[in-house]
Amino acid sequence: MNDILVSFDNVTIDYVMKKQSLRAVRDFSLDIEKGKITAFVGESGSGKTTVVSALLQAISSPGKLTQGNVYFFDGDNKIDVSALKNEQLRKFRWSKVSMVFQASQSTLNPLMTIYDQFYETAYYHDAIASKEKFDERLNYLFDLVKLDAKRVFKAYPHQMSGGMKQRVMIAFALLLNPDLIILDEPTTALDVITQKYIFNQLTDINKNLGKTLILLTHDIGIVAKVADNIAVMYAGSVMEYADAYTLFKEKKHPYTRGLIEATPSILKSPEEIQPIEGNPPDIRNLPSGCPFHPRCKYCMDICTEQRPPLQKIGDEHYISCHLYANNTQKL
Ligand code: SF4
């Protein structure tokens, strides 16, 4: 267990409302390896943000963890995250796990300087031993994300570019030195050069500081080079999980294959870029059987009737697809 930092154990999350209950995540089990970069990839509504929110008890209302557990391994201590209360939870957040939410740059307070916002956060987490030590830490973090501390400390959010603000958010996530950082769509709305720059910094943080990262993205292409492991999600379930090399080389699941074929590349002609037909499913009315079946060109009778289990088809390679029943590989 020493190489596992987080274990999602049969997690189900429902949005419980007066008239109906919507299942956003279903029977989700996955171990996150310590010191690795794991990407959760899927279209909007695939459940990737919802499931990692359970790791911080931050599922947006009226969502609830209705089954399963999320465990965090802190040395020999196995923490059941859903059992954390008040002060325990406050300490766990940021100091063990921090999250940079999607478009979180816009959560920067427009009326405070960047320095004051860091100071306030550290103050409320009792993380300031002295102003000198705090300044030293902040200079170190800004150096790490390659921002000019002298200039940015005094700046207000509107005085910075989108790429600078995103690097400020990464420095924020590192402020209390957590073991795990979750980044939700970390490069959305940034140009490709800034995207590359941010991913280089995230890779450095992973390799040089040993931080475990979880990246959430709809774009499988942008995590191809940085992720160690990839979980492809659809309709709240894992469709395929493998190390990045295996996933891209074998692309067994029809949905994984569709995501890769839809990704633009300078090596592809426009005709080779094939979008996945149809739309992501509506969780108010999920298809029977395999949730991907209305969009799948390999759909068989069984696919409309029975949901395929997640099964192991290779060394740490898992897939949920009837094409691989009894581990016979078809694609
Ligand atoms: Fe396609 Fe059937 Fe596999 Fe689902 S189970 S991905 S419908 S082949």
Side-chain angles (χ1 to χ4, degrees), residues 276-305:
I276 303 173
E277 297 292 333
N279 295 310
D282 180 348
I283 63 166
R284 291 169 300 180
N285 189 20
L286 281 180
S288 59
C290 169
F292 188 58
H293 87 250
R295 305 172 75 186
C296 180
K297 57 187 171 191
Y298 305 97
C299 182
M300 306 169 285
D301 287 346
I302 189 175
C303 304
T304 62
E305 294 156 9

CSV table of all heavy atoms in Angstrom, one decimal, residues 276-305:
chain,number,residue,atom,x,y,z
A,276,ILE,N,-16.5,12.4,-32.2
A,276,ILE,CA,-17.3,11.3,-31.8
A,276,ILE,C,-18.7,11.7,-32.1
A,276,ILE,O,-19.2,12.8,-31.7
A,276,ILE,CB,-17.2,11.0,-30.2
A,276,ILE,CG1,-15.7,10.7,-29.9
A,276,ILE,CG2,-18.0,9.9,-29.8
A,276,ILE,CD1,-15.4,10.7,-28.4
A,277,GLU,N,-19.4,10.8,-32.8
A,277,GLU,CA,-20.8,11.1,-33.1
A,277,GLU,C,-21.7,11.3,-31.9
A,277,GLU,O,-21.4,10.6,-30.9
A,277,GLU,CB,-21.4,10.0,-34.0
A,277,GLU,CG,-20.7,9.8,-35.3
A,277,GLU,CD,-21.0,11.0,-36.3
A,277,GLU,OE1,-22.0,11.7,-36.1
A,277,GLU,OE2,-20.1,11.2,-37.1
A,278,GLY,N,-22.7,12.1,-31.9
A,278,GLY,CA,-23.7,12.2,-30.8
A,278,GLY,C,-23.2,13.1,-29.7
A,278,GLY,O,-22.2,13.8,-29.8
A,279,ASN,N,-23.9,13.1,-28.6
A,279,ASN,CA,-23.7,14.0,-27.5
A,279,ASN,C,-23.4,13.2,-26.2
A,279,ASN,O,-23.9,12.1,-26.1
A,279,ASN,CB,-24.8,14.9,-27.3
A,279,ASN,CG,-25.0,15.9,-28.4
A,279,ASN,OD1,-24.1,16.5,-28.9
A,279,ASN,ND2,-26.3,15.9,-29.0
A,280,PRO,N,-22.7,13.8,-25.3
A,280,PRO,CA,-22.6,13.1,-24.0
A,280,PRO,C,-23.9,12.8,-23.4
A,280,PRO,O,-24.9,13.6,-23.7
A,280,PRO,CB,-21.8,14.1,-23.1
A,280,PRO,CG,-21.1,15.0,-24.1
A,280,PRO,CD,-22.0,15.1,-25.3
A,281,PRO,N,-24.1,11.8,-22.6
A,281,PRO,CA,-25.4,11.4,-22.1
A,281,PRO,C,-25.9,12.4,-21.1
A,281,PRO,O,-25.2,13.1,-20.4
A,281,PRO,CB,-25.2,10.1,-21.4
A,281,PRO,CG,-23.7,10.1,-21.0
A,281,PRO,CD,-23.0,10.9,-22.1
A,282,ASP,N,-27.2,12.5,-21.0
A,282,ASP,CA,-27.9,13.3,-20.0
A,282,ASP,C,-28.1,12.4,-18.7
A,282,ASP,O,-28.7,11.4,-18.8
A,282,ASP,CB,-29.3,13.7,-20.5
A,282,ASP,CG,-30.1,14.5,-19.6
A,282,ASP,OD1,-29.7,14.6,-18.4
A,282,ASP,OD2,-31.2,15.0,-20.0
A,283,ILE,N,-27.5,12.8,-17.6
A,283,ILE,CA,-27.5,11.9,-16.4
A,283,ILE,C,-28.9,11.8,-15.9
A,283,ILE,O,-29.2,10.9,-15.0
A,283,ILE,CB,-26.5,12.3,-15.3
A,283,ILE,CG1,-26.8,13.7,-14.7
A,283,ILE,CG2,-25.1,12.2,-15.8
A,283,ILE,CD1,-26.1,13.9,-13.4
A,284,ARG,N,-29.9,12.6,-16.3
A,284,ARG,CA,-31.3,12.4,-15.9
A,284,ARG,C,-31.9,11.3,-16.6
A,284,ARG,O,-32.9,10.8,-16.2
A,284,ARG,CB,-32.1,13.7,-16.2
A,284,ARG,CG,-31.7,14.9,-15.3
A,284,ARG,CD,-32.4,16.1,-15.8
A,284,ARG,NE,-32.0,16.4,-17.2
A,284,ARG,CZ,-32.4,17.5,-17.9
A,284,ARG,NH1,-33.2,18.4,-17.4
A,284,ARG,NH2,-32.0,17.7,-19.1
A,285,ASN,N,-31.2,10.9,-17.7
A,285,ASN,CA,-31.8,9.8,-18.5
A,285,ASN,C,-30.7,9.0,-19.2
A,285,ASN,O,-30.6,9.0,-20.4
A,285,ASN,CB,-32.8,10.5,-19.5
A,285,ASN,CG,-33.6,9.5,-20.3
A,285,ASN,OD1,-33.8,8.4,-19.8
A,285,ASN,ND2,-34.0,9.9,-21.5
A,286,LEU,N,-30.0,8.3,-18.4
A,286,LEU,CA,-28.9,7.5,-18.9
A,286,LEU,C,-29.3,6.3,-19.7
A,286,LEU,O,-30.3,5.7,-19.4
A,286,LEU,CB,-28.0,7.0,-17.8
A,286,LEU,CG,-27.0,8.0,-17.1
A,286,LEU,CD1,-26.2,7.3,-16.0
A,286,LEU,CD2,-26.1,8.6,-18.1
A,287,PRO,N,-28.6,6.0,-20.8
A,287,PRO,CA,-29.0,4.8,-21.6
A,287,PRO,C,-28.9,3.6,-20.8
A,287,PRO,O,-28.1,3.5,-19.8
A,287,PRO,CB,-27.9,4.8,-22.7
A,287,PRO,CG,-27.3,6.1,-22.7
A,287,PRO,CD,-27.4,6.7,-21.3
A,288,SER,N,-29.6,2.5,-21.1
A,288,SER,CA,-29.5,1.3,-20.5
A,288,SER,C,-28.2,0.6,-20.9
A,288,SER,O,-27.5,1.0,-21.8
A,288,SER,CB,-30.6,0.3,-20.9
A,288,SER,OG,-30.6,0.2,-22.3
A,289,GLY,N,-27.7,-0.4,-20.1
A,289,GLY,CA,-26.5,-1.1,-20.5
A,289,GLY,C,-25.3,-0.3,-20.4
A,289,GLY,O,-25.1,0.5,-19.5
A,290,CYS,N,-24.5,-0.4,-21.5
A,290,CYS,CA,-23.3,0.5,-21.5
A,290,CYS,C,-23.7,1.9,-21.8
A,290,CYS,O,-24.4,2.1,-22.8
A,290,CYS,CB,-22.4,0.0,-22.6
A,290,CYS,SG,-21.0,1.1,-23.0
A,291,PRO,N,-23.3,2.9,-21.0
A,291,PRO,CA,-23.8,4.3,-21.3
A,291,PRO,C,-23.3,4.9,-22.6
A,291,PRO,O,-23.8,5.8,-23.1
A,291,PRO,CB,-23.2,5.0,-20.0
A,291,PRO,CG,-22.1,4.2,-19.5
A,291,PRO,CD,-22.4,2.8,-19.8
A,292,PHE,N,-22.2,4.3,-23.1
A,292,PHE,CA,-21.7,4.8,-24.4
A,292,PHE,C,-22.4,4.2,-25.6
A,292,PHE,O,-22.1,4.6,-26.7
A,292,PHE,CB,-20.2,4.5,-24.4
A,292,PHE,CG,-19.4,5.1,-25.6
A,292,PHE,CD1,-19.5,6.5,-25.8
A,292,PHE,CD2,-18.7,4.4,-26.5
A,292,PHE,CE1,-18.8,7.1,-26.8
A,292,PHE,CE2,-18.1,5.0,-27.6
A,292,PHE,CZ,-18.1,6.3,-27.7
A,293,HIS,N,-23.3,3.2,-25.4
A,293,HIS,CA,-23.8,2.4,-26.5
A,293,HIS,C,-24.5,3.3,-27.7
A,293,HIS,O,-24.3,3.0,-28.8
A,293,HIS,CB,-24.6,1.2,-26.1
A,293,HIS,CG,-26.1,1.5,-25.9
A,293,HIS,ND1,-26.7,1.5,-24.7
A,293,HIS,CD2,-27.1,1.7,-26.8
A,293,HIS,CE1,-28.0,1.8,-24.8
A,293,HIS,NE2,-28.2,1.9,-26.1
A,294,PRO,N,-25.2,4.4,-27.3
A,294,PRO,CA,-25.8,5.1,-28.5
A,294,PRO,C,-24.8,5.8,-29.4
A,294,PRO,O,-25.1,6.1,-30.5
A,294,PRO,CB,-26.7,6.2,-27.7
A,294,PRO,CG,-26.9,5.7,-26.4
A,294,PRO,CD,-25.6,4.9,-26.0
A,295,ARG,N,-23.5,5.9,-28.9
A,295,ARG,CA,-22.5,6.6,-29.8
A,295,ARG,C,-21.5,5.6,-30.3
A,295,ARG,O,-20.5,6.0,-31.0
A,295,ARG,CB,-21.8,7.7,-28.9
A,295,ARG,CG,-22.8,8.7,-28.3
A,295,ARG,CD,-22.1,9.6,-27.4
A,295,ARG,NE,-21.3,10.6,-28.0
A,295,ARG,CZ,-20.5,11.5,-27.4
A,295,ARG,NH1,-20.4,11.4,-26.1
A,295,ARG,NH2,-19.9,12.4,-28.1
A,296,CYS,N,-21.6,4.3,-30.0
A,296,CYS,CA,-20.5,3.4,-30.2
A,296,CYS,C,-20.8,2.6,-31.5
A,296,CYS,O,-21.8,2.0,-31.7
A,296,CYS,CB,-20.4,2.4,-29.1
A,296,CYS,SG,-19.1,1.2,-29.3
A,297,LYS,N,-19.8,2.6,-32.4
A,297,LYS,CA,-20.0,2.0,-33.7
A,297,LYS,C,-19.8,0.4,-33.6
A,297,LYS,O,-20.0,-0.3,-34.5
A,297,LYS,CB,-19.1,2.5,-34.8
A,297,LYS,CG,-17.6,2.6,-34.5
A,297,LYS,CD,-16.9,3.3,-35.6
A,297,LYS,CE,-15.4,3.5,-35.2
A,297,LYS,NZ,-14.7,4.5,-36.1
A,298,TYR,N,-19.3,0.0,-32.4
A,298,TYR,CA,-19.1,-1.4,-32.2
A,298,TYR,C,-20.3,-2.1,-31.3
A,298,TYR,O,-20.2,-3.2,-30.9
A,298,TYR,CB,-17.8,-1.7,-31.5
A,298,TYR,CG,-16.6,-1.1,-32.2
A,298,TYR,CD1,-16.1,0.1,-31.8
A,298,TYR,CD2,-16.0,-1.8,-33.3
A,298,TYR,CE1,-15.0,0.7,-32.4
A,298,TYR,CE2,-15.0,-1.2,-33.9
A,298,TYR,CZ,-14.5,0.0,-33.5
A,298,TYR,OH,-13.4,0.5,-34.2
A,299,CYS,N,-21.3,-1.3,-31.1
A,299,CYS,CA,-22.4,-1.7,-30.2
A,299,CYS,C,-23.0,-3.0,-30.7
A,299,CYS,O,-23.3,-3.3,-31.8
A,299,CYS,CB,-23.5,-0.6,-30.2
A,299,CYS,SG,-24.8,-1.0,-29.1
A,300,MET,N,-23.2,-3.9,-29.6
A,300,MET,CA,-23.8,-5.2,-29.9
A,300,MET,C,-25.1,-5.3,-29.0
A,300,MET,O,-25.3,-4.4,-28.2
A,300,MET,CB,-22.8,-6.3,-29.4
A,300,MET,CG,-21.4,-6.2,-30.0
A,300,MET,SD,-20.3,-7.3,-29.2
A,300,MET,CE,-19.9,-6.5,-27.7
A,301,ASP,N,-25.8,-6.4,-29.2
A,301,ASP,CA,-27.1,-6.5,-28.5
A,301,ASP,C,-26.9,-6.4,-27.0
A,301,ASP,O,-27.6,-5.7,-26.2
A,301,ASP,CB,-27.8,-7.8,-28.8
A,301,ASP,CG,-28.4,-7.8,-30.2
A,301,ASP,OD1,-28.5,-6.7,-30.7
A,301,ASP,OD2,-28.8,-8.8,-30.7
A,302,ILE,N,-25.9,-7.1,-26.5
A,302,ILE,CA,-25.6,-7.1,-25.0
A,302,ILE,C,-25.3,-5.7,-24.5
A,302,ILE,O,-25.7,-5.4,-23.3
A,302,ILE,CB,-24.5,-8.1,-24.7
A,302,ILE,CG1,-24.4,-8.3,-23.2
A,302,ILE,CG2,-23.2,-7.6,-25.3
A,302,ILE,CD1,-23.3,-9.3,-22.8
A,303,CYS,N,-24.8,-4.9,-25.3
A,303,CYS,CA,-24.4,-3.5,-24.9
A,303,CYS,C,-25.6,-2.7,-24.5
A,303,CYS,O,-25.5,-1.8,-23.6
A,303,CYS,CB,-23.6,-2.8,-26.0
A,303,CYS,SG,-22.2,-3.7,-26.5
A,304,THR,N,-26.7,-2.9,-25.1
A,304,THR,CA,-27.9,-2.1,-24.7
A,304,THR,C,-28.6,-2.7,-23.5
A,304,THR,O,-29.5,-2.1,-22.9
A,304,THR,CB,-28.9,-2.2,-25.9
A,304,THR,OG1,-29.3,-3.5,-26.1
A,304,THR,CG2,-28.3,-1.6,-27.2
A,305,GLU,N,-28.2,-3.9,-23.0
A,305,GLU,CA,-28.9,-4.5,-21.9
A,305,GLU,C,-28.1,-4.6,-20.7
A,305,GLU,O,-28.6,-4.4,-19.6
A,305,GLU,CB,-29.2,-6.0,-22.3
A,305,GLU,CG,-30.3,-6.0,-23.5
A,305,GLU,CD,-30.2,-7.4,-24.2
A,305,GLU,OE1,-29.5,-8.3,-23.8
A,305,GLU,OE2,-30.8,-7.4,-25.3
